[in-house]
Amino acid sequence: MPQQQQNVTATITSARAYGAIYWATPAATSNATNTPILLAGTTAAHGTANKITQGTANRLTYTGAATRTFFVLCSVGISAAAATVSKIHLYKNGAVITGSTITRAFSNTDIGAFAISAIVDVAPNEYVELWGETNDGDDLTVQNGVFSMQSID
């Protein structure tokens, strides 16, 4: 019986990329009315990471070799300086990730819990961040939380 050979082409994706940070020290973010701004506070590495670094506060940077698809998740507790309506956004390289905005109204002493997520393609050395804004310029403070990204391809 003749032997059959098959040509098989496969793409091998390197080990998944993942990493997380947490807010170690809260700090108020001063902002102008309806103007998104990077949320302040000191962040630190949370657990182990592979191909994700945190060299700047509130920023996760992908350091792998090829563009990957990531699931980005942030769950935080945020307070406002006064009663306000806020919008919280995930940003990639300084631009909002489409569909990743949530809105919440705050009373004067409220700490609001948020969870926000997105699926986004990230190229080597690109980064994601958490941004916020209010409808009246009140300060926002991330009291605590975790911000993570994990490749899903």
Side-chain angles (χ1 to χ4, degrees), residues 34-56:
N34 295 319
T35 304
I37 188 169
L38 179 68
L39 292 175
T42 303
T43 54
H46 180 68
T48 59
N50 185 43
K51 300 178 186 172
I52 302 293
T53 61
Q54 187 255 322
T56 301

Side-chain angles (χ1 to χ4, degrees), residues 35-80:
T35 304
I37 188 169
L38 179 68
L39 292 175
T42 303
T43 54
H46 180 68
T48 59
N50 185 43
K51 300 178 186 172
I52 302 293
T53 61
Q54 187 255 322
T56 301
N58 183 7
R59 179 180 290 177
L60 293 168
T61 302
Y62 170 55
T63 59
T67 299
R68 306 280 300 265
T69 302
F70 285 87
F71 177 68
V72 179
L73 174 65
C74 187
S75 59
V76 291
I78 296 179
S79 62

Side-chain angles (χ1 to χ4, degrees), residues 61-62 66-70 72 92 120-128 149:
T61 302
Y62 170 55
T67 299
R68 306 280 300 265
T69 302
F70 285 87
V72 179
K92 181 180 103 171
V120 63
D121 291 334
V122 182
N125 301 312
E126 290 187 331
Y127 57 89
V128 293
M149 62 189 289

